[in-house]
Amino acid sequence: GSMQLTLCTAGGRQLIVPEALPEWTKRDLHLASPGLAEVSPLATQIFLGQCELDGSTTLAELGATTGACLTLVFTPAVRVVTASGLDARVWEFPSGRTLSVLKERDHGICFVVFSRGGAQVLTGSRDAAKLWCASSGKCLHTFELLIPGSVWANQDCSTFATFAPDGAAVIAACDQHRAKIWCTSSGKCLHALSGHQNYVYSVACSPDGSRAITGSFDATAKIWDSRSGMCVLTLEGHRGAVTRAVFSPDGSKMVTGSLDDTARLWCAVSGECLRVFDVANDFVDFASGGSRVLTVSRRRDYAALWCCATGEEHGLGFVCLYALSPDGTKVMTSSDMGTSVWCASSGELLSQTSGDGAGARVEREGSSGTEASGQGTGVSVESEALRRTGEGEDDAGGASPRCLFSEPVE
């Protein structure tokens, strides 16, 4: 039979649901609750004790009985930028409200990056990067890149630029085998990071913003002092282009991915190579607080988690789409067989749904953006966002659509 439930918010507000049914899911509870019918279920979390009512879980499976008091938490708003062809659009998520349209006049948009908090957006084309106000759509500054088309054509361009953690600077790959650091307030170039012998493929910042790392076609990665622009370390050992280089969350380690089908773990202080992971990779990043490395190969459709301490591999199987949760604790993989969510620390399979693998790969930009992942399993947010924004298809220019989530809006 039916039961009466109470939803309690952190502010002390109480919502009474007089006739809830045991087979109801979170969406059903939303539709029946006063004041929640117009709120997307993605904008809330509902708990009974420490257990969350999420996805297809029913009230009966949660253990709710008549008279139960459930905790209602409203999740912070985030911003979403979707880019395809000559346009990028900034949306509010989960409401789906359009905030601004960013117009690129000359070349298609190849990458998008959010500043921390989502106040600014950096877009990149073949000849320039542009800094925009996310709310108004006003172009604040233009930074010259002039990277040859052959480089763009053969690289996942999401690695080409990033914001400093405090948002005061932008670092981007540019011409003449260099990267540059620009001031976001004045638009002036602060430093040109010169020293590579071939084009720069990847840039990233340390968590405290004091250092930057660049990966290059010359098979090296270099560490730079962000304040002086001086090179302090050169990481050598790869036999192919370094396509991705990132710092661990505590800044003590770095991982690089290369076209030589290896990923390497490095000490950020000495530059010593700590481990070599023999795996084809197009994406590498730290997971589980820096204790694991995630590698994904789109060439072989394979993903794996690696233990930094032992080098042990935990394969995640055949992968078409992937995402890493913002806190690095979960990995989502998707294929024709369905979608799986894994614990990043243990490699344990947490949940699995069957399906056709439809969805969108969502770019991760270090501290400058987050994947399409909720605080629960982190599986359903990306498809919901694309349904709301309507950006599931290619448009002018035939460019592959990109979707990036900001951190919670400040």
Side-chain angles (χ1 to χ4, degrees):
S2 62
M3 52 187 173
Q4 178 173 303
L5 301 177
T6 304
L7 299 178
C8 302
T9 69
R13 183 185 176 192
Q14 293 188 346
L15 305 177
I16 306 299
V17 185
E19 295 184 346
L21 298 177
E23 62 269 23
W24 278 6
T25 64
K26 180 181 177 181
R27 186 174 295 275
D28 298 322
L29 194 58
H30 258 255
L31 293 174
S33 300
L36 286 186
E38 300 302 318
V39 178
S40 168
L42 295 176
T44 67
Q45 291 179 284
I46 298 175
F47 297 90
L48 179 60
Q50 299 296 315
C51 300
E52 183 177 2
L53 181 66
D54 194 20
S56 60
T57 303
T58 66
L59 289 170
E61 293 170 339
L62 187 68
T65 58
T66 188
C69 182
L70 281 66
T71 302
L72 174 65
V73 179
F74 289 92
T75 55
V78 298
R79 289 172 177 172
V80 186
V81 60
T82 53
S84 186
L86 298 179
D87 291 348
R89 292 176 179 264
V90 181
W91 314 78
E92 185 180 69
F93 179 79
S95 71
R97 181 170 64 96
T98 301
L99 297 179
S100 59
V101 179
L102 316 179
K103 292 283 188 178
E104 172 58 56
R105 296 183 179 181
D106 300 319
H107 300 288
I109 292 174
C110 298
F111 66 77
V112 289
V113 189
F114 265 117
S115 65
R116 179 167 289 179
Q120 295 179 329
V121 178
L122 185 72
T123 64
S125 64
R126 196 166 58 195
D127 62 346
K130 292 185 177 182
L131 183 66
W132 310 79
C133 173
S135 298
S136 68
K138 179 182 178 181
C139 181
L140 305 176
H141 300 293
T142 298
F143 310 123
E144 189 176 69
L145 300 181
L146 299 179
I147 298 176
S150 59
V151 179
W152 290 110
N154 292 292
Q155 170 63 359
D156 175 2
C157 304
S158 65
T159 63
F160 275 32
T162 189
F163 281 90
D166 61 2
V170 164
I171 306 176
C174 61
D175 61 337
Q176 298 178 9
H177 308 168
R178 300 179 298 177
K180 288 184 179 180
I181 302 177
W182 287 276
C183 175
T184 54
S185 59
S186 68
K188 293 182 178 180
C189 179
L190 302 176
H191 301 292
L193 309 182
S194 302
H196 283 293
Q197 302 304 307
N198 212 323
Y199 291 106
V200 173
Y201 244 17
S202 173
V203 298
C205 275
S206 63
D208 64 1
S210 65
R211 292 169 296 168
I213 185 170
T214 55
S216 169
F217 259 110
D218 66 9
T220 71
K222 290 182 180 289
I223 314 302
W224 310 82
D225 184 298
S226 299
R227 295 174 179 85
S228 67
M230 299 295 292
C231 179
V232 295
L233 284 173
T234 297
L235 310 181
E236 297 178 312
H238 282 296
R239 298 182 303 278
V242 176
T243 56
R244 190 170 176 92
V246 292
F247 284 93
S248 63
D250 64 1
S252 67
K253 298 185 292 290
M254 302 164 293
V255 66
T256 54
S258 170
L259 294 182
D260 65 5
D261 288 348
T262 69
R264 288 176 178 254
L265 183 69
W266 310 82
C267 173
V269 176
S270 66
E272 176 188 0
C273 182
L274 305 176
R275 292 204 176 275
V276 179
F277 307 119
D278 290 313
V279 61
N281 64 86
D282 299 286
F283 173 89
V284 295
D285 206 344
F286 284 97
S288 188
S291 65
R292 299 288 188 274
V293 167
L294 172 67
T295 62
V296 180
S297 171
R298 291 194 295 276
R299 288 169 285 158
R300 299 184 183 178
D301 297 325
Y302 178 77
L305 285 164
W306 304 79
C307 178
C308 292
T310 65
E312 179 184 2
E313 176 187 6
H314 187 99
L316 304 183
F318 179 77
V319 173
C320 295
L321 314 171
Y322 62 90
L324 183 64
S325 68
D327 59 7
T329 62
K330 301 182 184 72
V331 179
M332 183 202 78
T333 60
S334 186
S335 69
D336 292 342
M337 301 301 293
T339 299
S340 302
V341 178
W342 310 82
C343 174
S345 60
S346 66
E348 176 189 0
L349 180 63
L350 300 178
S351 66
Q352 192 169 33
T353 58
S354 60
D356 60 2
R361 177 172 160 267
V362 181
E363 308 293 347
R364 185 173 198 267
E365 299 293 345
S367 63
S368 302
T370 60
E371 301 83 350
S373 178
Q375 296 182 32
T377 62
V379 174
S380 63
V381 180
E382 58 179 315
S383 56
E384 176 74 12
L386 292 181
R387 283 198 297 272
R388 286 180 174 274
T389 60
E391 294 295 319
E393 298 179 356
D394 294 355
D395 57 13
S400 175
R402 295 183 179 276
C403 177
L404 178 70
F405 283 65
S406 76
E407 293 184 345
V409 176
E410 297 173 350

